[in-house]
Amino acid sequence: MTAPAVEDRRPRPGRLAGFALLLGAVSWGLGALAAYPWAASDQEAAMIRVAFKHVAAFEHAGPARSMEEIEKLPRHMRPTSPERAQTGRRTDTVLRVELDGRVLLERRYSPGGLRRDGPTFAYEELAVRPGRYRLGVTLADGSADSAAGAAPRRWQLDEEVTIAPGQALLVEFSEDTGLIRRVRPAAAPAGSVAMSSSQRCTFSACSDRI
């Protein structure tokens, strides 16, 4: 009776040499990266942040849902007002940010939803040098159906601002307040927002500027 064969599981010399080379290469790479340490962002830099949630106008007026159609919808999907019973694709939202007449950002944002009928969300960060500027922010609906003769809605914020080193200036938008500016002090703890300096621009107030 022959003895059972035992498989030799010891790694071959070639495999050991390859593993040693790989380990050496990784160690060399880590040493090379350590020679060039990662530089953190400049603590003295200033920042302009823009955030908005906007329900844009419809690109083309679609049929409004009847009361029978609304009643067939689940309760959480029923519109809260007759204006929201209308269906169709909403137009894009256009954001433009200027500093002393120089355009920092001009971008179009598509509405959310599979049928592009939901609200539009956006958040932008713009690094700037500290100093005093003339800040101009414009938020507007894109090309909408103007069969009723109404001009596209537009909100504007135009004012002198002073941004200190390490300070973040936040421009927010909501359907109730329009564009509003907030300033976060450089020494403020995380999560706190100073409310002492703000300016609001509602649609009714900005319509005179259009």
Side-chain angles (χ1 to χ4, degrees), residues 20 25 44 62-64 82 85 104 112 146 173 187 205:
E44 299 299 315
L104 296 183
S146 58
F173 173 84

Side-chain angles (χ1 to χ4, degrees), residues 118-131:
T120 304
F121 298 89
Y123 176 80
E124 298 287 351
E125 286 189 350
L126 304 171
V128 297
R129 294 181 179 273

Side-chain angles (χ1 to χ4, degrees), residues 4-188:
V6 179
E7 182 181 358
D8 185 8
R9 296 187 177 183
R10 290 179 298 179
R12 296 179 180 179
R15 181 174 298 182
L16 289 175
F19 179 76
L21 289 175
L22 177 61
L23 185 60
V26 172
S27 301
W28 181 87
L30 292 176
L33 291 176
Y36 300 93
W38 174 76
S41 59
D42 188 3
Q43 297 296 327
E44 299 299 315
M47 188 76 65
I48 297 178
R49 297 168 178 163
V50 183
F52 68 84
K53 171 188 176 183
H54 176 50
V55 181
F58 286 103
E59 189 174 40
H60 300 287
R65 292 190 180 97
S66 63
M67 292 302 301
E68 291 77 9
E69 292 175 331
I70 295 177
E71 290 295 332
K72 294 179 181 179
L73 294 174
R75 186 173 298 275
H76 68 279
M77 296 180 60
R78 297 176 185 176
T80 57
S81 63
E83 291 79 7
R84 295 188 177 182
Q86 191 177 7
T87 60
R89 186 194 188 282
R90 297 188 183 274
T91 184
D92 293 343
T93 300
V94 181
L95 175 66
R96 182 184 177 95
V97 181
E98 298 180 1
L99 214 59
D100 288 341
R102 181 170 60 93
V103 179
L104 296 183
L105 175 70
E106 187 169 12
R107 186 169 297 174
R108 300 177 70 94
Y109 305 87
S110 300
L114 295 177
R115 295 181 297 179
R116 297 290 186 258
D117 57 350
T120 304
F121 298 89
Y123 176 80
E124 298 287 351
E125 286 189 350
L126 304 171
V128 297
R129 294 181 179 273
R132 185 171 181 84
Y133 302 99
R134 187 74 184 182
L135 174 66
V137 182
T138 303
L139 186 74
D141 289 342
S143 301
D145 192 350
S146 58
R153 297 179 303 170
R154 178 178 300 177
W155 294 263
Q156 289 179 309
L157 183 66
D158 186 11
E159 62 172 298
E160 295 282 345
V161 297
T162 300
I163 310 177
Q167 195 175 55
L169 186 148
L170 176 62
V171 178
E172 296 178 314
F173 173 84
S174 69
E175 301 293 335
D176 298 329
T177 62
L179 289 168
I180 180 172
R181 174 180 62 87
R182 307 179 192 271
V183 176
R184 183 190 296 267

